[in-house]
């Protein structure tokens, strides 16, 4: 009997298993996962549109410019804010494309997309050449061993410099000239060559479809009807609809109610195996149960270890977000949690303010990111919020030897009790060309930076290292760096500890009342100039009342700057066509008494733009 079973296995079953495995190998060989990376405005979304058109992925009736950019904000501003995954079919191959943002504030989206791919299309504008994010995104892709396909876009433009830009790409990548594809997202030139290069040059995903399930979550979105939808890439194993699955890091277990692939809409399927990109719906309602970078596995046959996730997000700008109505605090918390599902680079912790009540201290990747989050809270969740002045965390040492970590200037102890204050420093690395070394060094030195060293990388590119106070870079440093370098500078940093600094708390008073949301910690040498500019800016922004508004900047009890918003006056003498002067004086005295009484009970409402005044002081 045993001999018969062994004979049956070797003679009949084994060839069938070999065919099954071989068939699956052929299927995995037919998958290509790739993303599109480039500097902002180099034409990523337009090239993606042409690829979708050429492969007939999108119906002609559904076709529009920036078809993958599904947010109104993206279409209005002409930028990509979110990475977008979509599946195409071409010559029997399954092509999983992820279109990524180009702005530096959304570089975390790019890093997550790269982790889910085996190859990348690097697009360079033929009229602008290699720029900052071209280099940064390329380095990110090379760190993950991605196959790079260089594409020179906008070759149809009169201002195009194809030969010069080709030289730059060859120097940057070390590739051959014939490997660079000349294309135009506007006319469709070179699109077929790009598709052929994807199939020929990008390797098929590696993985064992018969191993325990390992799927990496690279994005998620909240749907009010179906709960949280997680997007994943399967590294090993196979997942079927109805499987009982586990999210490794959170330890939660769910039933895979629906799985499928991402086209312009979500297309349900019964099975997805290694190498594929898809989505899972499990009816999850709690946003804290899904983490980007988590691993999905099966409960019955779990994987031995989780997939290493993405790099930790490093917020560059911190600001308080408060609801205008205090009772909306829990709604704001829920909105931020749902937004964090779709934007993993957003971080937040609860905090409170004397003037604004309860809110959240949020971390952003830049000022544009902060602006976009505020706009999305308004549009997608109908939340009216106030955003405070951006700041960082400080260590305050009191005279009795205690150390307190202060996240908000309002939490500073009385100046008489403070022994010294320490502020966080960073080691900054700036990559630029030799043309901009002078202005960049001046900018860093103005921000109290210390030059550590500079190294020439290749050609005319140089890397400069500075030690900078984090508080000096959170407001306008990034924007100024991009302006003076014409966008041709990439910036990275890592924390390098705390240092003692001569910092003072600068308060803003309106009619003698302190507005803690406008308070900032600044270096003593910059305090007077900063306070004066704040008062001048607030004078422009505050609406006039029927009484004078005194705007003062103070360090402790010392007033260092003052401006006055003059009252709106009614002409009470208009009805007097003559008569004794005492009658006119009587009317003016009556008006004066009314103004004085109004000032005692009057309330000055500070508009939202006043809280962001410090961002535009220059």
């Amino acid at each position: 009997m045993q001999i018969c079973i062994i004979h049956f296995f070797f003679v009949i079953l084994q060839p069938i298993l070999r065919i099954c495995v071989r068939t699956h190998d052929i299927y995995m060989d037919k998958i290509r996962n790739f993303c599109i990376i480039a500097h902002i405005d180099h034409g990523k979304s337009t090239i993606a549109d042409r690829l979708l058109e050429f492969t007939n992925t999108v119906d002609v009736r559904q076709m529009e410019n920036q078809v993958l950019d599904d947010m109104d904000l993206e279409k209005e501003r002409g930028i990509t804010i979110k990475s977008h995954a979509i599946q195409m079919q071409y010559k029997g191959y399954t092509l999983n494309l992820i279109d990524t943002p180009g702005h530096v504030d959304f570089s975390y989206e790019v890093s997550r997309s790269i982790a889910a791919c085996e190859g990348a299309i690097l697009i360079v504008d033929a009229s602008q050449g290699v720029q900052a994010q071209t280099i940064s995104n390329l380095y990110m892709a090379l760190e993950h061993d991605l196959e790079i396909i260089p594409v020179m876009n906008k070759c149809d433009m009169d201002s195009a410099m194809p030969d010069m830009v080709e030289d730059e790409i060859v120097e940057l990548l070390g590739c051959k000239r014939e490997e660079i594809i000349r294309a135009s997202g506007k006319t469709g030139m070179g699109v077929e060559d790009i598709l052929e290069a994807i199939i020929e040059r990008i390797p098929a995903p590696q993985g064992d479809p018969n191993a325990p399930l390992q799927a990496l979550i690279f994005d998620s979105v909240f749907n009010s009807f179906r709960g949280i939808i997680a997007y994943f890439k399967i590294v090993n194993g196979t997942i079927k609809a109805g499987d009982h699955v586990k999210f490794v890091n959170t330890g939660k277990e769910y039933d895979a109610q629906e799985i499928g692939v991402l086209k312009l809409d979500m297309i349900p399927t019964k099975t997805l195996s290694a190498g594929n990109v898809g989505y899972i719906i499990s009816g999850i309602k709690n946003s804290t149960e899904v983490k980007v970078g988590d691993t999905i596995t099966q409960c019955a046959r779990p994987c031995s270890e989780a997939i290493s996730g993405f790099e930790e997000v490093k917020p560059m700008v911190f600001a308080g977000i408060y609801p205008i109505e205090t009772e909306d605090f829990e709604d704001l918390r829920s909105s931020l949690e749902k937004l964090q599902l779709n934007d993993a680079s957003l971080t937040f912790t609860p905090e409170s303010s004397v003037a604004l009540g309860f809110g959240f201290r949020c971390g952003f990747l830049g000022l544009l990111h902060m602006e976009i989050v505020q706009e999305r809270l308004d549009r997608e969740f109908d939340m009216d919020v106030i955003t405070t002045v951006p700041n960082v965390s400080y260590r305050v040492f009191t005279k009795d030897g205690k150390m307190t970590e202060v996240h908000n200037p309002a939490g500073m102890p009385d100046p008489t009790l403070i022994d010294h204050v320490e502020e966080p420093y960073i080691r900054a690395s700036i990559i630029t060309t030799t043309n901009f070394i002078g202005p960049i060094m001046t900018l860093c030195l103005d921000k109290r930076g210390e030059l550590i060293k500079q190294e020439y990388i290749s050609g005319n590119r140089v890397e400069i290292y500075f030690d900078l106070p984090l508080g000096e870079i959170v407001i306008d440093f990034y924007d100024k760096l991009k302006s003076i370098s014409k966008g041709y500078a990439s910036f990275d940093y890592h924390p390098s500890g705390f240092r003692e600094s001569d910092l003072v708390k600068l308060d803003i008073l309106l009619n003698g009342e302190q507005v803690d949301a406008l308070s900032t910690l600044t270096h003593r040498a910059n305090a007077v100039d900063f306070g004066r500019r704040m008062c001048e800016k607030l004078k422009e922004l505050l609406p006039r009342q029927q009484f004078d508004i005194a705007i003062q900047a103070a360090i402790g009890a010392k007033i260092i700057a003052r401006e006055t918003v003059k009252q709106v006056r009614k002409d009470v003498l208009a009805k007097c066509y003559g008569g004794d002067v005492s009658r006119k004086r009587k009317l003016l005295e009556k008006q004066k008494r009314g103004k004085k009484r109004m000032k005692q009970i009057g309330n000055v409402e500070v508009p939202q733009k006043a809280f962001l005044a410090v961002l535009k002081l220059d």
Side-chain angles (χ1 to χ4, degrees):
M1 182 68 179
Q2 286 178 343
I3 294 167
C4 292
I5 292 168
I6 292 166
H7 179 266
F8 174 75
F9 178 79
F10 277 102
V11 176
I12 300 168
L13 272 185
Q14 203 172 29
I16 294 170
L17 286 170
R18 278 204 197 106
I19 291 165
C20 290
V21 171
R22 196 180 303 121
T23 308
H24 205 101
D25 287 341
I26 293 166
Y27 177 57
M28 277 190 70
D29 284 346
K30 296 285 185 181
I31 297 174
R32 299 289 183 272
N33 299 318
F34 68 99
C35 59
I36 302 181
I37 55 175
H39 190 85
I40 190 168
D41 275 342
H42 279 208
K44 296 174 300 303
S45 296
T46 315
I47 288 284
D49 288 350
R50 299 294 81 78
L51 291 172
L52 296 176
E53 270 185 347
F54 198 87
T55 55
N56 297 317
T57 305
V58 179
D59 192 84
V60 179
R61 291 169 297 177
Q62 295 174 296
M63 197 62 209
E64 57 184 70
N65 290 336
Q66 291 176 263
V67 68
L68 290 181
D69 295 345
D70 50 11
M71 272 191 267
D72 291 338
L73 263 174
E74 292 177 311
K75 288 184 166 62
E76 285 168 21
R77 291 172 180 254
I79 59 173
T80 301
I81 294 167
K82 275 290 302 169
S83 295
H84 299 276
I86 192 164
Q87 191 179 92
M88 303 178 287
Q89 301 294 331
Y90 179 70
K91 291 188 175 179
Y93 285 83
T94 299
L95 311 180
N96 291 310
L97 154 70
I98 303 178
D99 179 25
T100 65
H103 197 282
V104 283
D105 281 12
F106 307 107
S107 56
Y108 191 60
E109 292 285 327
V110 183
S111 72
R112 289 159 46 202
S113 304
I114 284 171
C117 297
E118 284 79 40
I121 298 174
L122 180 72
I123 294 178
V124 180
D125 190 325
S127 61
Q128 297 183 52
V130 173
Q131 291 190 299
Q133 282 307 107
T134 315
I135 299 167
S136 298
N137 291 337
L138 172 65
Y139 285 169
M140 212 184 293
L142 291 174
E143 280 172 17
H144 286 77
D145 296 325
L146 264 61
E147 182 66 37
I148 308 295
I149 299 173
V151 173
M152 190 164 52
N153 192 24
K154 305 187 184 179
C155 288
D156 60 314
M157 290 179 68
D158 296 334
S159 57
M161 306 172 290
D163 295 331
M164 191 186 298
V165 174
E166 264 188 4
D167 291 340
E168 289 183 14
I169 296 172
V170 168
E171 187 180 345
L172 181 68
L173 281 175
C175 62
K176 296 175 183 173
R177 243 172 218 283
E178 54 269 22
E179 291 177 5
I180 301 168
I181 300 169
R182 296 193 178 193
S184 166
K186 188 177 178 182
T187 63
M189 174 182 114
V191 172
E192 191 172 358
D193 295 336
I194 294 171
L195 287 166
E196 294 294 338
I198 290 166
I199 291 169
E200 289 168 17
R201 298 192 212 170
I202 294 176
Q206 301 296 312
D208 181 3
N210 300 314
L213 177 66
Q214 274 184 313
L216 177 70
I217 298 175
F218 67 87
D219 203 357
S220 56
V221 65
F222 182 81
N223 183 297
S224 51
F225 299 103
R226 310 203 66 182
I228 294 158
I229 303 167
Y231 301 156
F232 60 80
K233 181 201 173 182
I234 302 177
V235 178
N236 286 306
T238 303
I239 185 170
K240 298 187 178 90
D243 277 359
H244 193 54
V245 296
K246 178 182 178 181
F247 287 24
V248 176
N249 290 340
T250 59
K252 302 284 184 180
E253 297 182 6
Y254 311 98
D255 288 321
Q257 296 172 4
E258 181 180 306
I259 60 167
V261 295
L262 297 156
K263 296 209 173 179
L264 202 55
D265 298 313
M266 294 186 292
I267 310 296
T269 57
K270 289 183 179 178
T271 307
L272 284 172
S273 56
N276 264 304
V277 173
Y279 69 90
I280 179 171
I281 298 174
S282 305
I284 307 167
K285 298 294 182 186
N286 189 348
S287 55
T288 57
E289 294 177 19
V290 177
K291 300 288 182 191
V292 166
D294 201 351
T295 303
I296 303 174
T297 190
Q298 283 161 332
C299 295
R301 193 178 165 219
C303 58
S304 56
E305 59 179 4
I307 304 164
S308 57
F310 311 108
E311 61 184 44
E312 283 296 311
V313 63
K314 293 187 291 190
M316 301 189 75
V317 174
F318 299 90
I321 290 185
Y322 295 84
I324 288 177
E325 299 296 334
T326 323
E327 58 267 23
D328 292 339
F329 174 73
E330 285 303 327
D331 291 340
L332 178 59
R333 183 199 294 274
S334 173
S335 301
L336 284 169
E337 285 174 353
K338 289 171 185 174
L339 192 56
Q340 195 180 39
L341 280 172
N342 200 232
D343 183 358
S345 54
L346 170 66
T347 60
F348 63 92
T349 52
E351 73 167 4
S352 62
S353 156
V354 177
L356 301 172
F358 291 100
F360 296 92
R361 182 172 179 272
C362 302
F364 308 96
L365 293 182
L367 293 180
L368 176 65
H369 185 212
M370 182 171 115
E371 198 181 319
I372 292 295
V373 166
Q374 192 179 335
E375 192 74 24
R376 288 185 70 183
L377 282 171
D378 179 33
R379 293 191 186 200
E380 296 176 27
F381 303 100
D382 201 24
M383 291 299 307
D384 290 326
V385 296
I386 288 175
T387 309
T388 66
V389 176
N391 53 39
V392 297
S393 299
Y394 298 90
R395 286 179 180 173
V396 180
F397 291 83
T398 53
K399 288 178 180 175
D400 58 2
K402 291 181 181 175
M403 190 275 284
T404 311
E405 197 163 283
V406 175
H407 302 289
N408 189 322
M412 284 284 285
D414 189 274
T416 56
L417 304 174
I418 296 172
D419 180 56
H420 67 275
V421 180
E422 290 185 354
E423 64 177 331
Y425 264 69
I426 56 154
R427 175 64 56 88
S429 158
I430 299 167
I431 299 173
T432 184
T433 58
T434 49
N435 312 352
F436 305 112
I437 292 176
I440 287 173
M441 282 193 172
T442 305
L443 172 67
C444 293
L445 293 171
D446 286 346
K447 298 290 186 184
R448 300 189 283 127
E450 294 175 19
L451 177 64
I452 305 301
K453 63 176 178 177
Q454 64 183 64
E455 295 175 349
Y456 285 85
I457 303 169
S458 63
N460 68 337
R461 287 196 304 123
V462 64
E463 188 166 11
I464 311 170
Y465 294 92
F466 266 94
D467 276 353
L468 284 158
L470 184 58
E472 294 283 353
I473 71 159
V474 296
I475 294 179
D476 58 357
F477 178 82
Y478 220 21
D479 289 344
K480 283 183 176 177
L481 178 68
K482 284 181 281 186
S483 297
I484 62 176
S485 66
K486 298 178 182 174
Y488 204 100
S490 55
F491 175 71
D492 194 19
Y493 77 94
H494 62 267
S496 62
F498 284 75
R499 295 190 196 177
E500 186 178 336
S501 294
D502 187 11
L503 298 172
V504 290
K505 181 188 173 192
L506 181 70
D507 292 318
I508 299 296
L509 312 175
L510 297 180
N511 279 346
E513 293 291 324
Q514 183 185 324
V515 183
D516 65 340
L518 287 173
S519 299
T520 53
L521 279 173
T522 184
H523 197 267
R524 192 179 294 276
N526 304 332
V528 174
D529 180 54
F530 188 74
R532 188 177 295 119
R533 288 187 294 154
M534 268 292 278
C535 290
E536 288 169 0
K537 193 71 178 177
L538 287 169
K539 184 182 177 181
E540 295 172 21
L541 296 172
L542 289 179
R544 291 172 69 190
Q545 307 287 339
Q546 290 191 339
F547 52 88
D548 285 350
I549 303 172
I551 306 167
Q552 296 168 309
I555 299 172
K558 183 182 177 183
I559 305 296
I560 59 170
R562 172 180 170 134
E563 293 288 340
T564 306
V565 179
K566 299 303 288 182
Q567 61 187 310
V568 179
R569 289 178 63 89
K570 179 184 175 185
D571 188 0
V572 292
L573 303 181
K575 59 188 178 184
C576 297
Y577 292 102
D580 187 34
V581 70
S582 60
R583 185 180 173 214
K584 295 180 181 178
R585 192 176 294 120
K586 188 172 133 187
L587 287 168
L588 289 169
E589 288 294 329
K590 185 181 177 183
Q591 184 189 39
K592 188 177 177 181
R593 288 194 302 274
K595 296 269 187 194
K596 188 176 179 182
R597 189 170 63 252
M598 187 183 292
K599 188 173 181 178
Q600 289 172 351
I601 61 169
N603 184 29
V604 182
E605 289 194 359
V606 184
Q608 165 63 42
K609 55 188 176 184
F611 291 108
L612 301 178
V614 287
L615 307 185
K616 301 180 176 68
L617 284 179
D618 293 332

